Amino acid sequence: MSTAATRTAGPDHLWTVDEHLEDILATVRPLEPIELQLLDAQGCVLVEDITVPVSLPPFDNSSMDGYAVRVTDVAGASEEFPAVLTVVGDVAAGQAEPLHVGPGETARIMTGAPLPPGAEAVVPVEWTDGGLGGGPVTGMRARSQAPEAATGHVHVYRSAEARAHVRAKGSDVKAGDRALDAGTVLGPPQIALLAAIGRGTVRVRPRPRVVVMSTGSELVQPDEQLGDGQIYDSNSFALTAAARDAGAIAYRVGAVADDAETLRDTIEDQLVRADLMVTTGGVSVGAYDVVKEALSSVGDEDEEGAGIDFRKLAMQPGKPQGFGSIGPDHIPLLALPGNPVSSYVSFELFVRPAIRALMGLDDVHRPRTRATLTTDKALTSPKGRRQFLRGTYADGEVTPVGGAGSHLVAALALADALIVVPEDVESVEPGTEVEVVLLG
């Protein structure tokens, strides 16, 4: 990966949100395509157009349980004057040798079974006596319970038009049609289609492997006892879940203590299973900001200028950020701030697009819209910074939740949108139209 853009700015440069994101997306490249079994390809992006080799359905088949008939044989049929047809047997799905239906004849047919030669339509079993002679029936009895229904005679109480209750060959897709386009994300319906046309494997870009680790000697894992000055590690859980939501295979690493050598060793151990690394915490200007201490001097020995660059962004929350590459394979690493809201907002703005870029998607961003701000008082924003406030969005309106504090996890849990306040705006009045990032 090239980090030429990373090195064009001096250490005192205040990066804009757009500059930082542009640097990331100019650096991260889509993963190389691989051939995967269908179920392993779920969530992956196709790199080839898929053409249908065989029509679906591959033959005319019945859409109902009933009787395959000739139209002339049931013309004018009614309950008072039913058509009486000779049943020549059953046609079941998967049957190799279909029966032939001649004049005055019918075959009992099951849903999905091929329309037998000679037949032109299907009458549902509810329009018949089911071959049992007792008036209209509500369904077919199992062959094992009523074998006589597959032979003898059946009374048909309604007429049928040609092709009634028949699924035509190729009515879903025809051989030679485009089934799926390159760039499609494979979900359950797409995998079903691939299986239906006989594809057992498919060429895709794999889901990125993302390793998430939080740093801080004060962090304790959930279910453990808190000591004085300790807090539970929520960031690694939040960001691992967010990475999975973005489409990645995400691995969470337990919190690393504030020791530079330990952090470097942990990162080195994790590189083997990473296409992208994400750290949270330790990127500001404190004496114990271990990520900055451990990685500021780390570079890629065979790529000039590569390494981790720590920078300040003109945004709130999330001013301190780090980005670069690490290890012999130049694995991208994004170092996010440690406050919970800062780390999550940073993930949405920078890490999620990086994951989507690795997947090979064209559109890597969350959807955005315009909404009317609904609030009791004006929102304030620091001059020169782009602010991202948590909010709830519905019906063209957005309402702030919580304050601007970067530690407010409870408010974050209620939000489904980010309210964007531009750098040149210091106050936003109620009723103002604002830009909103929709979080899902």
Side-chain angles (χ1 to χ4, degrees), residues 266-322:
T266 303
I267 290 176
E268 185 176 347
D269 290 342
Q270 294 296 323
L271 284 174
V272 68
R273 61 172 181 173
D275 298 307
L276 176 70
M277 297 204 71
V278 180
T279 66
T280 172
V283 295
S284 192
V285 294
Y288 291 89
D289 283 327
V290 64
V291 175
K292 196 170 184 180
E293 177 189 352
L295 300 182
S296 288
S297 60
V298 172
D300 289 344
E301 58 186 22
D302 58 346
E303 186 164 340
E304 183 180 355
I308 310 301
D309 180 55
F310 292 90
R311 55 188 63 158
K312 297 176 182 178
L313 269 62
M315 66 179 286
Q316 186 185 56
K319 181 179 180 180
Q321 300 282 337

Side-chain angles (χ1 to χ4, degrees), residues 75-83 156-157:
S78 65
E79 290 197 29
E80 185 178 1
F81 300 104
V156 180
Y157 302 117

Side-chain angles (χ1 to χ4, degrees), residues 114 117 135 154 215 220 222 235 319 321 326 329 338 352 364 380 397 404 422:
V154 65
T215 63
V220 175
N235 283 359
K319 181 179 180 180
Q321 300 282 337
I326 192 166
D329 294 325
R352 193 176 198 277
V364 301
T380 60
E397 296 183 345

Side-chain angles (χ1 to χ4, degrees), residues 24-354:
I24 293 169
L25 295 182
T27 302
V28 173
R29 293 287 180 263
L31 298 176
E32 288 299 316
I34 58 175
E35 192 84 12
L36 288 178
Q37 298 287 330
L38 285 190
L39 292 180
D40 294 331
Q42 182 172 356
C44 296
V45 178
L46 272 177
V47 296
E48 58 181 345
D49 295 331
I50 302 295
T51 301
V52 179
V54 58
S55 295
L56 293 181
F59 46 80
D60 291 349
N61 70 91
S62 177
S63 65
M64 306 286 288
D65 294 325
Y67 290 84
V69 300
R70 291 157 43 97
V71 172
T72 56
D73 289 339
V74 296
S78 65
E79 290 197 29
E80 185 178 1
F81 300 104
V84 182
L85 304 177
T86 300
V87 182
V88 296
D90 279 351
V91 184
Q95 188 169 314
E97 298 181 4
L99 300 169
H100 184 276
V101 175
E105 295 180 338
T106 185
R108 193 167 68 158
I109 191 167
M110 315 306 150
T111 301
L115 188 70
E120 301 166 316
V122 173
V123 292
V125 67
E126 294 87 352
W127 296 4
T128 76
D129 68 353
L132 303 178
V137 296
T138 58
M140 288 184 183
R141 296 174 64 188
R143 182 183 177 89
S144 60
Q145 295 176 350
E148 70 279 4
T151 58
H153 296 86
V154 65
H155 289 68
V156 180
Y157 302 117
R158 291 177 60 177
S159 60
E161 297 180 355
R163 310 296 291 176
H165 306 113
V166 174
R167 301 171 180 145
K169 175 182 178 180
S171 57
D172 190 355
V173 289
K174 294 180 174 60
D177 285 352
R178 178 79 58 82
L180 296 170
D181 293 327
T184 300
V185 179
L186 297 181
Q190 292 77 32
I191 287 174
L193 175 56
L194 289 167
I197 63 175
R199 288 291 294 260
T201 63
V202 67
R203 192 162 177 78
V204 296
R205 296 193 191 277
R207 294 165 61 197
R209 300 165 302 160
V210 177
V211 174
V212 177
M213 67 177 69
S214 52
T215 63
S217 298
E218 78 281 10
L219 298 178
V220 175
Q221 298 308 298
D223 289 333
E224 294 182 5
Q225 189 68 35
L226 283 178
D228 292 341
Q230 293 183 321
I231 59 173
Y232 288 119
D233 172 19
S234 64
N235 283 359
S236 64
F237 286 92
L239 300 188
T240 302
R244 291 175 180 174
D245 181 70
I249 299 170
Y251 305 106
R252 176 188 160 272
V253 179
V256 180
D258 290 324
D259 179 77
E261 185 174 352
T262 301
L263 177 61
R264 280 193 292 264
D265 289 343
T266 303
I267 290 176
E268 185 176 347
D269 290 342
Q270 294 296 323
L271 284 174
V272 68
R273 61 172 181 173
D275 298 307
L276 176 70
M277 297 204 71
V278 180
T279 66
T280 172
V283 295
S284 192
V285 294
Y288 291 89
D289 283 327
V290 64
V291 175
K292 196 170 184 180
E293 177 189 352
L295 300 182
S296 288
S297 60
V298 172
D300 289 344
E301 58 186 22
D302 58 346
E303 186 164 340
E304 183 180 355
I308 310 301
D309 180 55
F310 292 90
R311 55 188 63 158
K312 297 176 182 178
L313 269 62
M315 66 179 286
Q316 186 185 56
K319 181 179 180 180
Q321 300 282 337
F323 171 64
S325 67
I326 192 166
D329 294 325
H330 316 302
I331 302 301
L333 185 148
L334 283 91
L336 311 183
N339 280 314
V341 175
S342 299
S343 68
Y344 184 73
V345 170
S346 299
F347 180 95
E348 286 292 337
L349 296 179
F350 307 125
V351 183
R352 193 176 198 277

